[in-house]
Amino acid sequence: MLYVIIGEDVENSLAQRLATRPAHVERLLALRDAGRLFVAGPNPLIDSEDPGEAGFSGSVIIAEFDSLEAAQRWAEADPYKAAGVYQRVTVKPFKKVLP
């Protein structure tokens, strides 16, 4: 089943994000390579594709996991969580309807 993982950043997280991004992306690439990643990306803090120094307010990942518990374990092990980029992570089941 698909699950949505919503990470909400602490304030002024850009430096921590940039330092931790390679490890974060490596885990996403592993999901992609396993055919389990639906979509992933950050939420710019401002209305811009490239928010520059404004940074990001969080991230959204939608991926396939065997269970809610498996998705929660994966999310809790995210390098952004360990580095203090995320202040809160929410994991919910997701049902794709469109397109």
Side-chain angles (χ1 to χ4, degrees), residues 47-83:
D47 190 12
S48 173
E49 288 270 333
D50 182 4
E53 291 187 24
F56 301 91
S57 64
S59 303
V60 174
I61 299 164
I62 301 176
E64 185 178 341
F65 293 92
D66 290 335
S67 66
L68 177 59
E69 294 78 21
Q72 289 169 328
R73 281 192 307 273
W74 189 91
E76 286 298 316
D78 192 300
Y80 280 174
K81 177 98 165 129

mmCIF file of all heavy atoms in Angstrom, residues 47-83:
data_model
loop_
_atom_site.group_PDB
_atom_site.id
_atom_site.type_symbol
_atom_site.label_atom_id
_atom_site.label_comp_id
_atom_site.label_asym_id
_atom_site.label_seq_id
_atom_site.Cartn_x
_atom_site.Cartn_y
_atom_site.Cartn_z
ATOM 1 N N ASP A 47 6.787 31.035 -2.330
ATOM 2 C CA ASP A 47 6.164 30.619 -3.587
ATOM 3 C C ASP A 47 7.174 30.696 -4.732
ATOM 4 O O ASP A 47 7.141 31.610 -5.558
ATOM 5 C CB ASP A 47 4.948 31.503 -3.865
ATOM 6 C CG ASP A 47 4.097 30.989 -5.009
ATOM 7 O OD1 ASP A 47 4.312 29.842 -5.453
ATOM 8 O OD2 ASP A 47 3.222 31.744 -5.465
ATOM 9 N N SER A 48 8.100 29.737 -4.745
ATOM 10 C CA SER A 48 9.161 29.732 -5.736
ATOM 11 C C SER A 48 9.733 28.329 -5.879
ATOM 12 O O SER A 48 9.886 27.615 -4.889
ATOM 13 C CB SER A 48 10.280 30.695 -5.302
ATOM 14 O OG SER A 48 11.391 30.591 -6.166
ATOM 15 N N GLU A 49 10.057 27.949 -7.122
ATOM 16 C CA GLU A 49 10.721 26.657 -7.355
ATOM 17 C C GLU A 49 12.078 26.626 -6.663
ATOM 18 O O GLU A 49 12.531 25.582 -6.210
ATOM 19 C CB GLU A 49 10.912 26.429 -8.862
ATOM 20 C CG GLU A 49 9.645 26.133 -9.605
ATOM 21 C CD GLU A 49 9.335 24.654 -9.654
ATOM 22 O OE1 GLU A 49 10.267 23.836 -9.591
ATOM 23 O OE2 GLU A 49 8.149 24.335 -9.764
ATOM 24 N N ASP A 50 12.758 27.772 -6.629
ATOM 25 C CA ASP A 50 14.068 27.883 -5.986
ATOM 26 C C ASP A 50 13.975 28.948 -4.903
ATOM 27 O O ASP A 50 14.155 30.141 -5.162
ATOM 28 C CB ASP A 50 15.136 28.260 -7.015
ATOM 29 C CG ASP A 50 16.524 28.350 -6.403
ATOM 30 O OD1 ASP A 50 16.683 28.047 -5.196
ATOM 31 O OD2 ASP A 50 17.454 28.733 -7.129
ATOM 32 N N PRO A 51 13.690 28.533 -3.664
ATOM 33 C CA PRO A 51 13.487 29.513 -2.606
ATOM 34 C C PRO A 51 14.765 30.148 -2.075
ATOM 35 O O PRO A 51 14.707 31.014 -1.212
ATOM 36 C CB PRO A 51 12.793 28.699 -1.516
ATOM 37 C CG PRO A 51 13.341 27.330 -1.704
ATOM 38 C CD PRO A 51 13.486 27.173 -3.197
ATOM 39 N N GLY A 52 15.916 29.698 -2.575
ATOM 40 C CA GLY A 52 17.179 30.276 -2.118
ATOM 41 C C GLY A 52 17.331 30.163 -0.617
ATOM 42 O O GLY A 52 17.034 29.125 -0.018
ATOM 43 N N GLU A 53 17.772 31.251 -0.004
ATOM 44 C CA GLU A 53 18.042 31.232 1.437
ATOM 45 C C GLU A 53 16.781 31.148 2.289
ATOM 46 O O GLU A 53 16.875 30.888 3.491
ATOM 47 C CB GLU A 53 18.868 32.452 1.825
ATOM 48 C CG GLU A 53 20.286 32.377 1.277
ATOM 49 C CD GLU A 53 21.180 33.491 1.779
ATOM 50 O OE1 GLU A 53 20.888 34.054 2.856
ATOM 51 O OE2 GLU A 53 22.163 33.796 1.101
ATOM 52 N N ALA A 54 15.601 31.338 1.678
ATOM 53 C CA ALA A 54 14.353 31.191 2.443
ATOM 54 C C ALA A 54 14.200 29.753 2.906
ATOM 55 O O ALA A 54 13.663 29.481 3.977
ATOM 56 C CB ALA A 54 13.154 31.613 1.605
ATOM 57 N N GLY A 55 14.668 28.807 2.078
ATOM 58 C CA GLY A 55 14.651 27.401 2.465
ATOM 59 C C GLY A 55 13.304 26.736 2.273
ATOM 60 O O GLY A 55 12.518 27.104 1.407
ATOM 61 N N PHE A 56 13.056 25.763 3.119
ATOM 62 C CA PHE A 56 11.908 24.884 2.960
ATOM 63 C C PHE A 56 11.160 24.735 4.278
ATOM 64 O O PHE A 56 11.725 24.878 5.355
ATOM 65 C CB PHE A 56 12.378 23.511 2.472
ATOM 66 C CG PHE A 56 13.108 23.596 1.157
ATOM 67 C CD1 PHE A 56 14.480 23.769 1.114
ATOM 68 C CD2 PHE A 56 12.408 23.534 -0.034
ATOM 69 C CE1 PHE A 56 15.147 23.876 -0.090
ATOM 70 C CE2 PHE A 56 13.068 23.645 -1.248
ATOM 71 C CZ PHE A 56 14.445 23.822 -1.283
ATOM 72 N N SER A 57 9.867 24.421 4.163
ATOM 73 C CA SER A 57 9.048 24.217 5.363
ATOM 74 C C SER A 57 8.858 22.742 5.679
ATOM 75 O O SER A 57 8.354 22.398 6.742
ATOM 76 C CB SER A 57 7.675 24.870 5.194
ATOM 77 O OG SER A 57 6.954 24.252 4.141
ATOM 78 N N GLY A 58 9.271 21.869 4.749
ATOM 79 C CA GLY A 58 9.116 20.442 4.975
ATOM 80 C C GLY A 58 9.262 19.662 3.689
ATOM 81 O O GLY A 58 9.755 20.179 2.687
ATOM 82 N N SER A 59 8.824 18.408 3.736
ATOM 83 C CA SER A 59 8.927 17.511 2.590
ATOM 84 C C SER A 59 7.733 16.573 2.560
ATOM 85 O O SER A 59 7.121 16.297 3.596
ATOM 86 C CB SER A 59 10.182 16.635 2.690
ATOM 87 O OG SER A 59 11.347 17.401 2.785
ATOM 88 N N VAL A 60 7.456 16.060 1.360
ATOM 89 C CA VAL A 60 6.417 15.054 1.177
ATOM 90 C C VAL A 60 7.020 13.884 0.412
ATOM 91 O O VAL A 60 7.705 14.072 -0.585
ATOM 92 C CB VAL A 60 5.209 15.618 0.390
ATOM 93 C CG1 VAL A 60 4.202 14.514 0.082
ATOM 94 C CG2 VAL A 60 4.548 16.748 1.162
ATOM 95 N N ILE A 61 6.771 12.696 0.924
ATOM 96 C CA ILE A 61 7.201 11.464 0.263
ATOM 97 C C ILE A 61 5.975 10.566 0.189
ATOM 98 O O ILE A 61 5.266 10.394 1.184
ATOM 99 C CB ILE A 61 8.307 10.747 1.067
ATOM 100 C CG1 ILE A 61 9.538 11.638 1.202
ATOM 101 C CG2 ILE A 61 8.657 9.394 0.441
ATOM 102 C CD1 ILE A 61 10.511 11.186 2.282
ATOM 103 N N ILE A 62 5.712 10.011 -0.981
ATOM 104 C CA ILE A 62 4.670 8.993 -1.114
ATOM 105 C C ILE A 62 5.355 7.761 -1.670
ATOM 106 O O ILE A 62 5.963 7.812 -2.739
ATOM 107 C CB ILE A 62 3.507 9.442 -2.015
ATOM 108 C CG1 ILE A 62 2.857 10.710 -1.453
ATOM 109 C CG2 ILE A 62 2.465 8.319 -2.133
ATOM 110 C CD1 ILE A 62 1.747 11.284 -2.327
ATOM 111 N N ALA A 63 5.276 6.684 -0.907
ATOM 112 C CA ALA A 63 5.983 5.458 -1.286
ATOM 113 C C ALA A 63 5.208 4.242 -0.813
ATOM 114 O O ALA A 63 4.329 4.336 0.048
ATOM 115 C CB ALA A 63 7.386 5.447 -0.680
ATOM 116 N N GLU A 64 5.575 3.108 -1.380
ATOM 117 C CA GLU A 64 4.925 1.844 -1.038
ATOM 118 C C GLU A 64 5.690 1.142 0.087
ATOM 119 O O GLU A 64 6.913 1.013 0.037
ATOM 120 C CB GLU A 64 4.889 0.943 -2.266
ATOM 121 C CG GLU A 64 4.143 -0.341 -2.053
ATOM 122 C CD GLU A 64 4.097 -1.195 -3.313
ATOM 123 O OE1 GLU A 64 4.325 -0.663 -4.414
ATOM 124 O OE2 GLU A 64 3.830 -2.388 -3.184
ATOM 125 N N PHE A 65 4.931 0.701 1.079
ATOM 126 C CA PHE A 65 5.480 -0.072 2.192
ATOM 127 C C PHE A 65 4.533 -1.230 2.485
ATOM 128 O O PHE A 65 3.369 -1.194 2.101
ATOM 129 C CB PHE A 65 5.636 0.801 3.445
ATOM 130 C CG PHE A 65 6.684 1.874 3.302
ATOM 131 C CD1 PHE A 65 6.349 3.139 2.849
ATOM 132 C CD2 PHE A 65 8.013 1.611 3.599
ATOM 133 C CE1 PHE A 65 7.304 4.125 2.696
ATOM 134 C CE2 PHE A 65 8.981 2.591 3.456
ATOM 135 C CZ PHE A 65 8.626 3.846 3.006
ATOM 136 N N ASP A 66 5.020 -2.228 3.196
ATOM 137 C CA ASP A 66 4.205 -3.399 3.523
ATOM 138 C C ASP A 66 3.122 -3.094 4.554
ATOM 139 O O ASP A 66 2.113 -3.789 4.611
ATOM 140 C CB ASP A 66 5.085 -4.537 4.049
ATOM 141 C CG ASP A 66 5.959 -5.129 2.958
ATOM 142 O OD1 ASP A 66 5.588 -5.029 1.769
ATOM 143 O OD2 ASP A 66 7.019 -5.675 3.297
ATOM 144 N N SER A 67 3.352 -2.062 5.371
ATOM 145 C CA SER A 67 2.395 -1.736 6.427
ATOM 146 C C SER A 67 2.642 -0.312 6.910
ATOM 147 O O SER A 67 3.692 0.280 6.632
ATOM 148 C CB SER A 67 2.556 -2.698 7.609
ATOM 149 O OG SER A 67 3.820 -2.498 8.228
ATOM 150 N N LEU A 68 1.681 0.208 7.652
ATOM 151 C CA LEU A 68 1.840 1.523 8.268
ATOM 152 C C LEU A 68 3.046 1.522 9.196
ATOM 153 O O LEU A 68 3.837 2.465 9.215
ATOM 154 C CB LEU A 68 0.566 1.903 9.024
ATOM 155 C CG LEU A 68 0.591 3.225 9.782
ATOM 156 C CD1 LEU A 68 0.870 4.400 8.848
ATOM 157 C CD2 LEU A 68 -0.722 3.432 10.530
ATOM 158 N N GLU A 69 3.207 0.448 9.947
ATOM 159 C CA GLU A 69 4.333 0.365 10.878
ATOM 160 C C GLU A 69 5.667 0.389 10.140
ATOM 161 O O GLU A 69 6.616 1.036 10.590
ATOM 162 C CB GLU A 69 4.233 -0.901 11.735
ATOM 163 C CG GLU A 69 3.053 -0.915 12.691
ATOM 164 C CD GLU A 69 1.717 -1.248 12.012
ATOM 165 O OE1 GLU A 69 1.701 -1.843 10.913
ATOM 166 O OE2 GLU A 69 0.676 -0.875 12.586
ATOM 167 N N ALA A 70 5.741 -0.286 9.004
ATOM 168 C CA ALA A 70 6.977 -0.279 8.215
ATOM 169 C C ALA A 70 7.266 1.122 7.685
ATOM 170 O O ALA A 70 8.417 1.573 7.687
ATOM 171 C CB ALA A 70 6.881 -1.281 7.071
ATOM 172 N N ALA A 71 6.228 1.819 7.244
ATOM 173 C CA ALA A 71 6.407 3.187 6.762
ATOM 174 C C ALA A 71 6.855 4.106 7.891
ATOM 175 O O ALA A 71 7.732 4.953 7.708
ATOM 176 C CB ALA A 71 5.104 3.693 6.145
ATOM 177 N N GLN A 72 6.283 3.921 9.073
ATOM 178 C CA GLN A 72 6.672 4.738 10.224
ATOM 179 C C GLN A 72 8.125 4.474 10.626
ATOM 180 O O GLN A 72 8.868 5.409 10.928
ATOM 181 C CB GLN A 72 5.737 4.471 11.402
ATOM 182 C CG GLN A 72 4.355 5.030 11.179
ATOM 183 C CD GLN A 72 3.349 4.562 12.204
ATOM 184 O OE1 GLN A 72 3.426 3.446 12.720
ATOM 185 N NE2 GLN A 72 2.371 5.408 12.486
ATOM 186 N N ARG A 73 8.525 3.215 10.622
ATOM 187 C CA ARG A 73 9.927 2.889 10.945
ATOM 188 C C ARG A 73 10.877 3.528 9.945
ATOM 189 O O ARG A 73 11.911 4.080 10.327
ATOM 190 C CB ARG A 73 10.138 1.372 10.971
ATOM 191 C CG ARG A 73 9.662 0.696 12.234
ATOM 192 C CD ARG A 73 10.151 -0.738 12.347
ATOM 193 N NE ARG A 73 9.855 -1.557 11.179
ATOM 194 C CZ ARG A 73 8.724 -2.230 10.986
ATOM 195 N NH1 ARG A 73 7.772 -2.187 11.897
ATOM 196 N NH2 ARG A 73 8.536 -2.952 9.893
ATOM 197 N N TRP A 74 10.521 3.442 8.647
ATOM 198 C CA TRP A 74 11.357 4.042 7.614
ATOM 199 C C TRP A 74 11.470 5.555 7.832
ATOM 200 O O TRP A 74 12.555 6.126 7.763
ATOM 201 C CB TRP A 74 10.789 3.733 6.227
ATOM 202 C CG TRP A 74 11.712 4.132 5.121
ATOM 203 C CD1 TRP A 74 12.668 3.354 4.527
ATOM 204 C CD2 TRP A 74 11.773 5.416 4.482
ATOM 205 N NE1 TRP A 74 13.318 4.077 3.557
ATOM 206 C CE2 TRP A 74 12.785 5.352 3.510
ATOM 207 C CE3 TRP A 74 11.071 6.602 4.636
ATOM 208 C CZ2 TRP A 74 13.124 6.429 2.697
ATOM 209 C CZ3 TRP A 74 11.399 7.686 3.832
ATOM 210 C CH2 TRP A 74 12.417 7.587 2.877
ATOM 211 N N ALA A 75 10.340 6.201 8.111
ATOM 212 C CA ALA A 75 10.321 7.649 8.311
ATOM 213 C C ALA A 75 11.126 8.055 9.543
ATOM 214 O O ALA A 75 11.840 9.061 9.517
ATOM 215 C CB ALA A 75 8.879 8.141 8.433
ATOM 216 N N GLU A 76 11.030 7.296 10.595
ATOM 217 C CA GLU A 76 11.769 7.617 11.824
ATOM 218 C C GLU A 76 13.276 7.507 11.640
ATOM 219 O O GLU A 76 14.043 8.149 12.347
ATOM 220 C CB GLU A 76 11.304 6.721 12.977
ATOM 221 C CG GLU A 76 9.945 7.081 13.518
ATOM 222 C CD GLU A 76 9.889 8.481 14.113
ATOM 223 O OE1 GLU A 76 10.813 8.881 14.846
ATOM 224 O OE2 GLU A 76 8.897 9.193 13.831
ATOM 225 N N ALA A 77 13.705 6.696 10.671
ATOM 226 C CA ALA A 77 15.137 6.509 10.411
ATOM 227 C C ALA A 77 15.675 7.494 9.374
ATOM 228 O O ALA A 77 16.846 7.411 9.000
ATOM 229 C CB ALA A 77 15.392 5.069 9.954
ATOM 230 N N ASP A 78 14.856 8.431 8.925
ATOM 231 C CA ASP A 78 15.303 9.392 7.916
ATOM 232 C C ASP A 78 16.430 10.259 8.483
ATOM 233 O O ASP A 78 16.329 10.744 9.611
ATOM 234 C CB ASP A 78 14.131 10.283 7.495
ATOM 235 C CG ASP A 78 14.445 11.093 6.262
ATOM 236 O OD1 ASP A 78 15.404 11.891 6.295
ATOM 237 O OD2 ASP A 78 13.740 10.936 5.256
ATOM 238 N N PRO A 79 17.486 10.470 7.713
ATOM 239 C CA PRO A 79 18.584 11.323 8.176
ATOM 240 C C PRO A 79 18.140 12.743 8.542
ATOM 241 O O PRO A 79 18.714 13.350 9.442
ATOM 242 C CB PRO A 79 19.549 11.340 6.995
ATOM 243 C CG PRO A 79 19.313 10.031 6.316
ATOM 244 C CD PRO A 79 17.829 9.798 6.450
ATOM 245 N N TYR A 80 17.121 13.262 7.875
ATOM 246 C CA TYR A 80 16.621 14.586 8.247
ATOM 247 C C TYR A 80 16.058 14.584 9.662
ATOM 248 O O TYR A 80 16.202 15.553 10.397
ATOM 249 C CB TYR A 80 15.544 15.066 7.272
ATOM 250 C CG TYR A 80 16.050 15.647 5.973
ATOM 251 C CD1 TYR A 80 15.163 16.000 4.970
ATOM 252 C CD2 TYR A 80 17.403 15.862 5.733
ATOM 253 C CE1 TYR A 80 15.597 16.548 3.777
ATOM 254 C CE2 TYR A 80 17.851 16.403 4.541
ATOM 255 C CZ TYR A 80 16.944 16.747 3.564
ATOM 256 O OH TYR A 80 17.376 17.293 2.380
ATOM 257 N N LYS A 81 15.429 13.512 10.047
ATOM 258 C CA LYS A 81 14.887 13.393 11.415
ATOM 259 C C LYS A 81 16.041 13.344 12.415
ATOM 260 O O LYS A 81 16.047 14.070 13.407
ATOM 261 C CB LYS A 81 14.019 12.135 11.510
ATOM 262 C CG LYS A 81 13.465 11.864 12.877
ATOM 263 C CD LYS A 81 12.053 12.342 13.012
ATOM 264 C CE LYS A 81 11.459 11.727 14.251
ATOM 265 N NZ LYS A 81 10.856 12.623 15.136
ATOM 266 N N ALA A 82 17.040 12.507 12.123
ATOM 267 C CA ALA A 82 18.185 12.357 13.032
ATOM 268 C C ALA A 82 18.984 13.651 13.157
ATOM 269 O O ALA A 82 19.520 13.951 14.228
ATOM 270 C CB ALA A 82 19.080 11.223 12.539
ATOM 271 N N ALA A 83 19.054 14.438 12.074
ATOM 272 C CA ALA A 83 19.836 15.676 12.084
ATOM 273 C C ALA A 83 19.072 16.865 12.663
ATOM 274 O O ALA A 83 19.621 17.953 12.785
ATOM 275 C CB ALA A 83 20.292 16.006 10.665
#
